[in-house]
Amino acid sequence: MLPGLVLSVIKWFDLKVMGYGIFFVLLALSLLAVAVWLMGLYFQHYEKNKGLKVKRKEGLKEEKTDDERLKAAIVAAVATCMAESKPLTRPRAKPLSKTEEASRWETMSRYELMEEP
Amino acid sequence: MSFLPIETGFEALDWGNLLMLLLAFGFLYLSIAKNLEPYVLLPISIGIILANLPLTGMLAKGEGLLWILEHYGIGAEGGWSIIPPMIFIGLGAMTDFSPILANPKTLLLGFSAQLGIFIAFIGALLLGFGTDASAAIAIIGGADGPTTIYATSKLAADLLPATTVAAYAYMALVPIFQPPVARLLTTQKERKIRMKQLRPVSRTERLLFPLMGLMIVVLLIPESATLIGMLFFGNILRESGVVPRLSETAQRELTNLVTIFLGLVVGSLLSAEAFLKVETLKVFGLGLLAIIACTAAGILLAKLMNLFVKEKVNPLIGAAGVSAVPMAARVAQMIAHQEDPHNYILMHAMGPNIAGVIGSAAVAGVFLGLLG
């Protein structure tokens, strides 16, 4: 009884046509939306990196990441140290504590993992 | 007037012709004196006049100029339907898809507006139209003239006069129908929602989109290829940047030329004997229901979307999902501007508006695939 009623309603309202219509249009637009969204993500990332590359190429001042700031600070500190230090008067380095050493290794590993500009 | 050597039209004029001529003069007045949609109404009114002057032979089968334009232009009596795809080339060449690319969510709002089409489909079935005719009538809800013509010519050619005129009438009347529905379904606070400025879109993205759209939509709904294919073809002409003459021709000369003939043809469909029927009134009623339902569905989905997204969308842009480009988007902007003079949602509304064009062409493709 019930399946017959459902079938007759489907037939009467041509719900099959409607159902297929809604399904296909929703699917087409959703697929398009997802494709556009993915393309947008890719191109936003690409444009951002391209912008950085152009800035580097042109030698312009660029916004630095934390890693880059750290690297610059280390390089500057080492350069200052080398310029000012005198071999004979250089203080002896204190042995590092375990935590200090771990922290330094962590910094080094982050430094190594960085991509070349 | 039998003393004259030829039969004149005066004695052949009937009340139906006079009524239609009156309608044509009304359209002429609106287009020239009131500047209301002159590009559409002026050629239509001249078409009506030519079709309703008796004994001209303009609609004579196989001979008359208007019959030839109808037969080859919009597919009347099983002919070609060349004008709608031509318009889609021009539309594609004029359209900037950046709003969709910057905010892909708006593609879904374009879908919601198509729900009204299905409501009108049920309405037409209830009024006793067959499945094919119901599908053709329902497409009016998309407020997309070329799509309506194309689908009707393939599905129910005898309804062409009624559906075509209803679609163009409702396209012109979007600024009158939409604001009350939009105000009814939104609060003042919602209408005041300001949306974040859209990100700039690169040329590569704009060039890839029509190719991607063409592949996805046409592979999924092959019957939509005639309209969708021409839409994206026109857009590729524009975005490629290497064929500026073709792009400009598609945007101006082609579109203007096709508009002239389309107007004449639409007008010529309004001959008294083809138009003055009870069926026409039913089609107009269902078209009105469809367009109101499309507007309402767009707004309600935008409100639903706001429950899930972080950056709220102004629900008015949902109303732009009907594909009257760019009229529906302008109406959304106008309402938002009335609530807050510094609120600019036009570009955001263009997203659903363009998605609506793709959506209604896709719905027409599905109907043609299932019923054609």
Side-chain angles (χ1 to χ4, degrees):
Chain A
M1 173 74 183
L2 195 63
L5 189 69
V6 171
L7 276 177
S8 60
V9 168
I10 288 175
K11 198 178 171 189
W12 176 249
F13 285 116
D14 267 309
L15 292 182
K16 201 174 68 178
V17 175
M18 265 184 60
Y20 278 131
I22 292 174
F23 171 74
F24 274 104
V25 177
L26 183 60
L27 185 62
L29 290 177
S30 305
L31 281 177
L32 204 53
V34 170
V36 168
W37 175 63
L38 289 175
M39 185 173 75
L41 282 184
Y42 172 76
F43 275 97
Q44 282 177 74
H45 178 74
Y46 173 78
E47 288 295 320
K48 198 175 159 189
N49 287 349
K50 196 175 124 193
L52 282 176
K53 277 180 189 167
V54 169
K55 278 181 183 172
R56 281 177 187 136
K57 207 172 178 182
E58 291 172 355
L60 294 173
K61 202 174 175 183
E62 64 193 40
E63 236 180 74
K64 288 175 178 166
T65 60
D66 285 350
D67 281 346
E68 284 167 328
R69 277 195 211 101
L70 180 68
K71 185 182 170 184
I74 292 170
V75 170
V78 170
T80 314
C81 190
M82 283 178 73
E84 289 176 2
S85 66
K86 293 172 187 168
L88 290 175
T89 57
R90 195 170 61 185
R92 286 181 69 182
K94 279 199 306 190
L96 294 170
S97 68
K98 275 192 177 177
T99 48
E100 275 178 325
E101 194 166 339
S103 153
R104 190 165 289 189
W105 274 112
E106 193 195 354
T107 307
M108 287 298 288
S109 60
R110 281 173 67 197
Y111 197 32
E112 278 167 6
L113 284 172
M114 270 174 60
E115 281 178 12
E116 281 297 314
Chain B
M1 295 191 200
S2 54
F3 58 89
L4 292 172
I6 58 164
E7 196 184 353
T8 68
F10 283 107
E11 49 197 309
L13 268 178
D14 60 23
W15 284 108
N17 295 132
L18 286 173
L19 199 66
M20 295 313 290
L21 288 172
L22 208 63
L23 181 73
F25 290 126
F27 281 175
L28 264 182
Y29 172 76
L30 288 175
S31 61
I32 298 170
K34 299 287 177 189
N35 206 26
L36 180 76
E37 296 288 323
Y39 286 92
V40 179
L41 285 185
L42 188 73
I44 287 179
S45 51
I46 303 300
I48 299 173
I49 292 172
L50 288 172
N52 284 284
L53 291 176
L55 308 178
T56 57
M58 296 283 272
L59 287 166
K61 192 171 181 177
E63 294 171 14
L65 174 68
L66 292 179
W67 185 90
I68 291 170
L69 288 177
E70 282 177 14
H71 188 71
Y72 294 104
I74 60 170
E77 296 183 36
W80 299 355
S81 190
I82 198 74
I83 288 180
M86 295 286 121
I87 291 182
F88 265 66
I89 294 180
L91 187 62
M94 283 189 274
T95 305
D96 178 3
F97 283 110
S98 300
I100 283 182
L101 293 165
N103 190 2
K105 284 196 295 280
T106 55
L107 269 163
L108 297 177
L109 292 177
F111 159 76
S112 65
Q114 310 310 317
L115 290 176
I117 289 180
F118 297 104
I119 291 170
F121 179 73
I122 292 182
L125 286 171
L126 286 174
L127 283 181
F129 287 98
T131 312
D132 292 7
S134 301
I137 294 167
I139 295 287
I140 299 172
D144 189 344
T147 307
T148 305
I149 292 174
Y150 186 73
T152 310
S153 71
K154 305 281 177 199
L155 293 170
D158 54 320
L159 284 178
L160 254 177
T163 56
T164 306
V165 176
Y168 277 93
Y170 291 138
M171 275 166 72
L173 295 174
V174 159
I176 294 168
F177 292 133
Q178 282 202 324
V181 181
R183 287 205 180 89
L184 190 71
L185 294 174
T186 53
T187 61
Q188 195 180 36
K189 194 181 163 193
E190 285 171 332
R191 293 195 292 273
K192 281 185 175 175
I193 291 176
R194 290 189 181 188
M195 293 177 70
K196 210 174 101 182
Q197 197 178 350
L198 293 171
R199 73 172 174 88
V201 174
S202 71
R203 182 173 162 249
T204 321
E205 279 177 272
R206 281 186 277 124
L207 183 58
L208 283 176
F209 176 73
L211 291 169
M212 211 163 62
L214 184 68
M215 299 299 287
I216 291 174
V217 182
V218 173
L219 279 175
L220 202 60
I221 310 166
E223 291 283 347
S224 67
T226 310
L227 298 178
I228 292 285
M230 292 304 104
L231 176 76
F232 287 132
F233 166 58
N235 194 249
I236 291 168
L237 289 181
R238 172 199 171 97
E239 300 299 351
S240 67
V242 292
V243 282
R245 281 187 290 122
L246 298 189
S247 170
E248 279 163 25
T249 304
Q251 288 180 44
R252 294 179 188 189
E253 286 80 3
L254 179 68
T255 306
N256 291 341
L257 200 64
V258 175
T259 305
I260 290 172
F261 288 118
L262 181 68
L264 267 182
V265 169
V266 171
S268 74
L269 292 170
L270 292 170
S271 64
E273 60 268 28
F275 191 71
L276 296 176
K277 294 176 184 171
V278 182
E279 258 186 359
T280 308
L281 281 178
K282 286 185 188 171
V283 170
F284 268 68
L286 286 165
L288 183 62
L289 169 77
I291 209 158
I292 289 174
C294 282
T295 306
I299 292 171
L300 292 176
L301 190 89
K303 290 174 77 153
L304 183 71
M305 200 180 258
N306 275 346
L307 298 177
F308 303 101
V309 294
K310 202 168 65 182
E311 285 168 12
K312 303 282 181 226
V313 297
N314 189 319
L316 291 173
I317 70 166
V322 297
S323 42
V325 176
M327 183 68 84
R330 280 193 206 138
V331 171
Q333 167 62 35
M334 184 193 78
I335 303 170
H337 191 74
Q338 281 168 356
E339 297 294 344
D340 174 5
H342 301 290
N343 196 2
Y344 296 97
I345 59 164
L346 182 65
M347 284 312 281
H348 297 280
M350 280 307 290
N353 206 187
I354 302 162
V357 176
I358 301 172
S360 53
V363 173
V366 174
F367 281 155
L368 289 174
L370 291 170
L371 309 167

